[in-house]
Amino acid sequence: MHLNLHRLEIFLRVLEHGSFSAAAQKLYMSQPSVSTQVKKLEASMGAPLVDRSGARIRPTAEGEALAQYARRLLLLTEEAVAAVEQIRGLRAGRLRVGGTTTVGTYLLPGLTARFREEFPEVEFDLFVGNSGQVEAALLEGGIGLAVVAGGPSAPQLLVEPLLSDGLLLCAAPGHRLAGAAGPLDPGELAGERFLLREPGSSTRDEQLATLELWGLAGAATADVWGAETAKQAVGAGLGLALLSEHAVSGDVAAGSLAVLDARPRRPGRPIVVCHRRDRVLSPAESVFLSRLRTLRQWPGG
């Protein structure tokens, strides 16, 4: 039995995208070539690896077992290359970094741009998603570093604190409580609708914990997917939302959002950087991590 790493990568892309055509487009190959390589892999394994009967390609039981090992094998090849590059120094390579929505939108792009100015030959991939999505990408090897709000719980990850991020209760500028003199008692928020980030977001966990602290766990809520959507929904008057102070600073300054000073406040949540314990960081990832460790405040803060 012979395993071809290139065929394993093609096989994983087919599973990831759910079709031969989508995988072919991603790999810059023809669809027949992708299909042929998967068939050759099945022949070498002596077992069917994908179920072609539905609208979306799915792994068979044998295929699911192989996929788990294939991901580990391909990750090991990347680590082998990274180990050699560590010796040669940072003259090229690729930075694969991810961040939860607030961090990925308001912190990482600027830091990545500054990194590219210093190392222009290094390419980059920037992945942004909610906490669950970013942690999954990190564990599966799609990214090497992740900067997230809160703290991932997977024991396979090394976690280092970087910064802090507080949540502000935001309302439309014309809200009845906007501009209120002095702090607000939570009781004054009774009857309001609170907009919550989507399930899997660490911001949602903080929002729910704050509502419980205020005795408003039974308040009317609505789910809103994404930080930018939440800001627009608040500005349109659809409800109140606890949002990252760094995500709304520009909107508050521009007058498109108002901040309600409700007390008591929960302490700011940590912003942390994490990576897999068993993964060798690439030279680009190692240097980027060292730059992150020097942060004392949010850029512009």
Side-chain angles (χ1 to χ4, degrees), residues 30-285:
S30 69
Q31 180 177 338
S33 295
V34 169
S35 181
T36 297
Q37 292 300 320
V38 173
K39 287 180 180 177
K40 288 183 177 180
L41 182 60
E42 289 178 315
S44 68
M45 296 298 296
L49 301 175
V50 296
D51 181 355
R52 300 168 172 82
S53 62
R56 181 179 176 85
I57 296 292
R58 297 185 180 278
T60 61
E62 296 92 338
E64 184 61 43
L66 178 63
Q68 294 180 24
Y69 286 95
R71 294 187 185 100
R72 290 160 60 183
L73 284 170
L74 293 176
L75 183 59
L76 281 173
T77 62
E78 290 185 5
E79 292 180 4
V81 173
V84 174
E85 289 179 343
Q86 292 278 19
I87 299 172
R88 297 179 58 218
L90 183 58
R91 294 193 300 271
R94 194 169 201 94
L95 171 67
R96 293 183 174 91
V97 62
T100 46
T101 307
T102 298
V103 176
T105 303
Y106 303 102
L107 179 66
L108 286 182
L111 294 179
T112 304
R114 282 157 52 184
F115 183 83
R116 283 269 295 158
E117 289 176 1
E118 189 174 356
F119 303 103
E121 296 182 355
V122 174
E123 296 300 325
F124 70 93
D125 295 312
L126 183 55
F127 176 84
V128 179
N130 63 35
S131 298
Q133 293 166 334
V134 172
E135 186 170 333
L138 192 62
L139 292 173
E140 292 171 3
I143 56 177
L145 288 174
V147 185
V148 303
S153 58
Q156 304 96 310
L157 300 179
L158 283 172
V159 179
E160 299 179 36
L162 294 176
L163 301 167
S164 179
D165 178 43
L167 297 185
L168 300 177
L169 182 62
C170 296
H175 190 274
R176 63 182 179 87
L177 295 174
L184 295 172
D185 184 90
E188 298 178 73
L189 303 173
E192 296 288 344
R193 173 178 286 103
F194 293 88
L195 307 182
L196 303 176
R197 283 287 306 279
E198 73 278 3
S201 165
S202 64
T203 298
R204 181 188 182 92
D205 297 336
E206 290 291 320
Q207 291 169 330
L208 290 171
T210 302
L211 290 181
E212 185 173 354
L213 174 67
W214 289 345
L216 297 172
T221 62
D223 291 353
V224 179
W225 289 69
E228 285 298 316
T229 306
K231 289 198 300 183
Q232 293 297 322
V234 170
L238 291 176
L240 308 181
L242 286 150
L243 301 172
S244 162
E245 59 183 319
H246 301 290
V248 303
S249 59
D251 305 88
V252 173
S256 57
L257 289 178
V259 175
L260 306 184
D261 186 15
R263 306 286 179 90
R265 296 175 179 170
R266 280 174 55 80
R269 56 183 175 169
I271 303 297
V272 303
V273 59
C274 45
H275 58 89
R276 282 178 50 158
R277 296 176 184 273
D278 59 349
R279 187 182 189 278
V280 177
L281 295 179
S282 72
E285 292 163 353

